[in-house]
Amino acid sequence: MVSLPGSPATSLLRFLFLGLTTLAPPSRAQLELHVPPGLTKLQAIEGAEVVLPMWYTLQGEVSSTKPKPWEVLTLMWFLEEEKGLMEVLSHISGVTSSKTGASLVYSMPSRNVSLRLQGLKEKDSGPYLCSVNVQASQGKESRVHSSRTLELNVLVPPAPPSCHLRGVPRVGTNVTLGCQSPRSKPAAQYQWVRSPPSSQVFFAPALDAIRGSLSLKNLSISMSGVYICKAHNEVGSAQCNVTLEVSTGHGATVVAGAVVGTLVGLGLLAVLVILYHRRAKALEEPANDIKEDAIAPRTLPWPKGSDTISKNGTLSSVTSARALRLPRGTPRPGALTPTPSLSSQVPPSPGLPRTDGAHPQPISHNPAGVSSSALSRMGAVPVMVPAQSQAGSLV
């Protein structure tokens, strides 16, 4: 293939195909290129083949005939690109050369110079220039030249699209079905349908035919099914599908709630275990521990004139000797028998003489026949009794 601009063959190509006549006198003969009506702009599908029709006539000829014996044809086909002219086929001095897939429809010599292109690709689109130079008369060095352009547009059917789902398909939510073809010329348009048994065709505004998206709002279980997207243009179509399954559960929300509930339950159980151990430990402490800030229990009032008081003012007994004696006579009905208080069990201080000069009376440590061990089991607690002076006042 040859590019005209900047190429070493530029002068030669211009000489051959631009009809330089400086080397020969001007000729009255004329050459005209013809194209069938309506075929100046052609369309073809990628992968197929196309024929670019073209033939020439000389001056005075109504239709194309066989070339005259003296006609010497020089033919060139070019594809016009942004960077210049790219050679597609050439026929010079009876020798034909071409790129892959390009050929002449008719064998030379012929005035029909139509070009066949096979295995078309999208890049084959563009203007095609046909340039013809012919020796116009016998025995003369006169040549005629003409050129004409045809437009070819190679169309591409949509490539298989890809379907996808955006959103979480749960009851009451919204989702979007997407569809896009990676390659199409012209650009594909899209159509969404729902497959049987619940067939349904969608239209705007739910359907965006340009972007290929379908919006489904306020989902319900009945909207579950297979949805098909069809991408199409004027030369072909392709499709894909996506399955929509609408669920009623909350999915991850339910799982997260269950995990949080389990953790909270374990935390409460741990707190209950700690409280139980603390309470058990508190119950193990002795019930009769005397604390410094404990309040002394109240005692019975002391009867006047019958208490025995030690020399140093310590109360030895709160029950008089007469209260401890048994009554001489039979008690009257309804009379109450005095009961010795717990303080009467406290023995007098040894070694201290009594202030009243009387001999100390032995006081039973087992009043009313109750032993000290029995009193302990009954919950009796030893107490400290406040001291009392001889005048009867507490000190």
Side-chain angles (χ1 to χ4, degrees):
M1 284 175 260
V2 179
S3 295
L4 289 179
S7 164
T10 300
S11 299
L12 176 61
L13 291 174
R14 286 181 178 176
F15 174 78
L16 294 175
F17 307 119
L18 300 182
L20 294 178
T21 58
T22 56
L23 299 180
S27 173
R28 294 181 180 179
Q30 295 181 356
L31 185 146
E32 185 177 359
L33 290 173
H34 305 273
V35 177
L39 295 181
T40 55
K41 293 184 178 181
L42 303 173
Q43 288 187 343
I45 302 174
E46 187 177 55
E49 71 173 52
V50 67
V51 172
L52 307 183
M54 188 81 65
W55 70 88
Y56 71 89
T57 60
L58 296 176
Q59 181 182 16
E61 297 178 344
V62 178
S63 62
S64 176
T65 61
K66 291 183 179 180
K68 301 295 188 291
W70 63 83
E71 290 182 17
V72 178
L73 174 65
T74 302
L75 169 67
M76 296 287 288
W77 277 98
F78 297 99
L79 173 60
E80 297 181 5
E81 296 181 337
E82 293 181 358
K83 59 184 179 180
L85 296 176
M86 183 181 71
E87 180 185 323
V88 177
L89 180 143
S90 66
H91 179 79
I92 303 175
S93 301
V95 179
T96 303
S97 61
S98 64
K99 75 166 191 175
T100 303
S103 62
L104 291 172
V105 176
Y106 296 93
S107 300
M108 295 292 112
S110 173
R111 287 186 175 180
N112 192 318
V113 293
S114 299
L115 175 68
R116 176 186 286 114
L117 298 175
Q118 296 175 311
L120 289 173
K121 298 181 180 179
E122 184 182 1
K123 66 180 182 179
D124 293 330
S125 298
Y128 282 78
L129 173 65
C130 177
S131 180
V132 175
N133 273 271
V134 176
Q135 180 176 330
S137 59
Q138 184 177 10
K140 295 182 180 179
E141 293 296 332
S142 65
R143 302 184 65 89
V144 291
H145 168 265
S146 183
S147 63
R148 191 159 181 179
T149 301
L150 297 177
E151 186 79 22
L152 175 63
N153 185 23
V154 179
L155 305 180
V156 180
S162 59
C163 293
H164 57 273
L165 168 67
R166 294 193 297 268
V168 180
R170 293 199 305 265
V171 172
T173 62
N174 303 332
V175 297
T176 301
L177 305 182
C179 177
Q180 196 68 38
S181 174
R183 188 165 177 263
S184 176
K185 181 184 177 182
Q189 293 194 350
Y190 302 90
Q191 177 66 58
W192 278 96
V193 297
R194 186 178 176 184
S195 64
S198 301
S199 299
Q200 187 177 2
V201 180
F202 298 93
F203 301 94
L207 171 68
D208 188 336
I210 303 300
R211 295 183 175 86
S213 62
L214 175 65
S215 298
L216 300 177
K217 299 182 178 180
N218 194 20
L219 293 180
S220 62
I221 296 296
S222 62
M223 297 174 69
S224 299
V226 178
Y227 290 76
I228 301 173
C229 172
K230 182 179 181 181
H232 60 90
N233 62 12
E234 56 190 85
V235 294
S237 64
Q239 67 182 33
C240 63
N241 64 76
V242 61
T243 301
L244 177 65
E245 296 181 359
V246 182
S247 62
T248 57
H250 296 287
T253 305
V254 173
V255 174
V259 172
V260 172
T262 302
L263 295 177
V264 172
L266 292 176
L268 291 176
L269 181 61
V271 171
L272 291 176
V273 171
I274 294 174
L275 292 177
Y276 174 79
H277 283 293
R278 288 184 178 179
R279 183 171 180 81
K281 185 176 179 181
L283 292 176
E284 290 176 359
E285 296 179 357
N288 58 350
D289 283 350
I290 301 177
K291 297 182 172 62
E292 295 180 358
D293 57 349
I295 301 175
R298 294 183 61 185
T299 57
L300 297 174
W302 302 303
K304 295 183 180 180
S306 61
D307 297 333
T308 304
I309 303 174
S310 62
K311 183 178 181 180
N312 61 355
T314 303
L315 182 61
S316 300
S317 174
V318 295
T319 307
S320 62
R322 282 180 284 177
L324 295 175
R325 297 192 190 100
L326 295 175
R328 294 180 181 179
T330 303
R332 292 177 297 175
L336 298 176
T337 303
T339 302
S341 65
L342 295 178
S343 61
S344 63
Q345 301 179 32
V346 180
S349 301
L352 296 177
R354 298 187 62 85
T355 56
D356 55 359
H359 295 285
Q361 297 293 329
I363 300 175
S364 174
H365 294 279
N366 188 14
V370 181
S371 64
S372 60
S373 61
L375 291 174
S376 298
R377 287 196 299 273
M378 293 169 63
V381 179
V383 297
M384 299 293 295
V385 180
Q388 187 177 27
S389 65
Q390 295 182 359
S393 61
L394 297 176
V395 293

